Amino acid sequence: MKMWIVLVLAAMAAGASAQSCSCETMKWATCDGTPCKCYVMVGQNEKQFLNCTSLVPKCILMKAEMYRARKGMDTRTLGGKPDESAFVDNDGIYDPDCENDGKFKAKQCNNTEECWCVNSAGVRRTDKEDKNIKCEKLVETYWVRLQLTHKEVGKEVNEAKLKTAIAEAIHKRYKNFNKDMVDEIKYDPKARMIVVDVKKPKGERKSDLTHMAYYMEKDVKVLPLFKNQEKFEPNVDGQTLEMTNILVYYVDEDPPTFTMKHLSGGIIAVIVVVVLAVVAGLLVLFFARRRQNQQYNKAQQREMDPM
Ligand SMILES: *[C@@H]1O[C@H](CO)[C@@H](O)[C@H](O)[C@H]1NC(C)=O
Ligand SMILES: *[C@@H]1O[C@H](CO)[C@@H](O)[C@H](O)[C@H]1NC(C)=O
């Protein structure tokens, strides 16, 4: 009996692989052979083999994208804070250094002399410095906020049902992503904005939020990375929500260490005005003192005259 089941399973597996040797999670992959093996090019004559039953790590995707961009094949464009220390990716794509398991190396230089430290999502979390910069460890992103905008729809969207629909869509689309990590969803019907907080416990290292976030970013901003080009369209009450925009915030286990350079123009202007006012005040005081002293000297001289 057991033998029979094993034989049937083996036959099914063989049939499946003979039928379609392709990579579900990566549309740019090349697949061939028995057993079926898939890879993407990440450099001149540099093949990266993939596990097509799970999401491809972001570092490998970025490497492949940079290679394709250099070859003129395909490029991408990149576009309220969940936490004081949350930040967005303003740099966009670079050619990353990846570990063997697909994680980002903590220090990245984009093939230049200028280097910086990244979080586990590969997003810069320090200033750019020279190549002697020290990045002690790869700091984990444990919380991402996905700020989505959807197209206009006919019927009003039910907020309670929206949460279930989004969690379900994420779970199904992104390779059994753990629904429990979809922590909170807020909805603004006027702005058609959905804010999805995806969180894992600090210190947890088994799951990764950033691959899912990257696949979703691509789904909304460009085109899906999946071989099957179906869109990310959560279904609420029989009505599909087509997404038009996404912004991703990252919250790391340790806050980032950007410096004053990143203060916005407005704040810098206020600081300049305050400094100028203080300097002006000091000058006024200085001249007033000097005049007083001069008057005092004159008065003294006059008193001494009769003598
Ligand atoms: C591919 O990924 C799946 C799902 O994460 C995992 O169970 C499997 O062991 C992986 N296969 C290889 C060859 O690494
Ligand atoms: C990385 O280098 C590429 C090409 O050299 C450049 O277009 C891109 O802006 C750089 N990215 C960063 C984040 O420095």
Side-chain angles (χ1 to χ4, degrees), residues 72-88:
M73 289 159 91
D74 204 324
T75 49
R76 69 162 194 176
T77 51
L78 254 195
K81 284 193 173 193
D83 181 274
E84 264 311 299
S85 65
F87 53 108
V88 294

Side-chain angles (χ1 to χ4, degrees), residues 20 34-36 38 50 67 74 98 123 127 134 152 157 162 184 188 200 243 284-285 298:
S20 62
T34 25
C36 177
C38 303
L50 304 174
Y67 178 67
D74 204 324
C98 310
V123 177
D127 290 326
K134 290 269 177 301
E152 278 189 62
V157 177
L162 181 64
E184 202 184 342
D188 176 352
K200 64 176 185 173
M243 303 300 169
V284 166
L285 260 176
K298 273 185 203 147

Side-chain angles (χ1 to χ4, degrees), residues 62 66 70 89-95 109-112 114 116 124 128:
M62 274 174 67
M66 277 305 276
R70 282 199 298 273
D89 183 357
N90 287 315
D91 291 353
I93 194 165
Y94 58 92
D95 190 19
C109 308
N110 197 19
N111 304 319
T112 65
E114 217 184 16
W116 59 88
R124 184 162 66 86
K128 290 185 176 174

Side-chain angles (χ1 to χ4, degrees), residues 7 14-15 26 41 62 75 126 131 140-141 160 163 168 171 186 193 198 225 228 233 242 248 251 285 287 300-301 305:
L7 278 179
M26 182 69 263
M41 299 305 292
M62 274 174 67
T75 49
T126 64
K131 56 184 196 298
E140 188 84 2
T141 299
K163 170 158 187 182
E168 195 57 47
H171 172 71
K186 294 191 209 88
M193 186 181 283
V198 183
L225 290 165
N228 166 347
E233 284 179 334
E242 194 179 336
V248 183
V251 186
L285 260 176
F287 284 114
Q300 262 187 340
Q301 266 170 14
D305 275 348

Side-chain angles (χ1 to χ4, degrees), residues 16-156:
S17 68
Q19 250 173 25
S20 62
C21 177
S22 65
C23 191
E24 193 194 335
T25 51
M26 182 69 263
K27 61 180 175 184
W28 300 322
T30 308
C31 304
D32 53 36
T34 25
C36 177
K37 278 191 149 188
C38 303
Y39 63 85
V40 279
M41 299 305 292
V42 292
Q44 204 67 46
N45 303 321
E46 206 182 328
K47 290 179 185 175
Q48 171 72 51
F49 283 89
L50 304 174
N51 179 351
C52 297
T53 55
S54 48
L55 298 181
V56 178
K58 181 176 175 184
C59 194
I60 291 169
L61 289 174
M62 274 174 67
K63 250 191 130 46
E65 277 177 88
M66 277 305 276
Y67 178 67
R68 294 176 69 82
R70 282 199 298 273
K71 290 242 142 192
M73 289 159 91
D74 204 324
T75 49
R76 69 162 194 176
T77 51
L78 254 195
K81 284 193 173 193
D83 181 274
E84 264 311 299
S85 65
F87 53 108
V88 294
D89 183 357
N90 287 315
D91 291 353
I93 194 165
Y94 58 92
D95 190 19
D97 287 325
C98 310
E99 306 279 5
N100 286 335
D101 61 1
K103 285 198 170 72
F104 284 91
K105 291 205 167 147
K107 176 174 155 184
Q108 297 289 341
C109 308
N110 197 19
N111 304 319
T112 65
E113 297 286 293
E114 217 184 16
C115 304
W116 59 88
C117 308
V118 299
N119 59 19
S120 60
V123 177
R124 184 162 66 86
R125 43 171 280 118
T126 64
D127 290 326
K128 290 185 176 174
E129 286 177 30
D130 62 25
K131 56 184 196 298
N132 297 319
I133 188 171
K134 290 269 177 301
C135 307
E136 279 178 12
K137 58 170 186 188
L138 185 70
V139 177
E140 188 84 2
T141 299
Y142 76 104
W143 176 5
V144 290
R145 170 168 288 184
L146 311 161
Q147 193 174 300
L148 294 152
T149 315
H150 70 79
K151 281 196 177 155
E152 278 189 62
V153 286
K155 272 190 304 176
E156 213 173 277

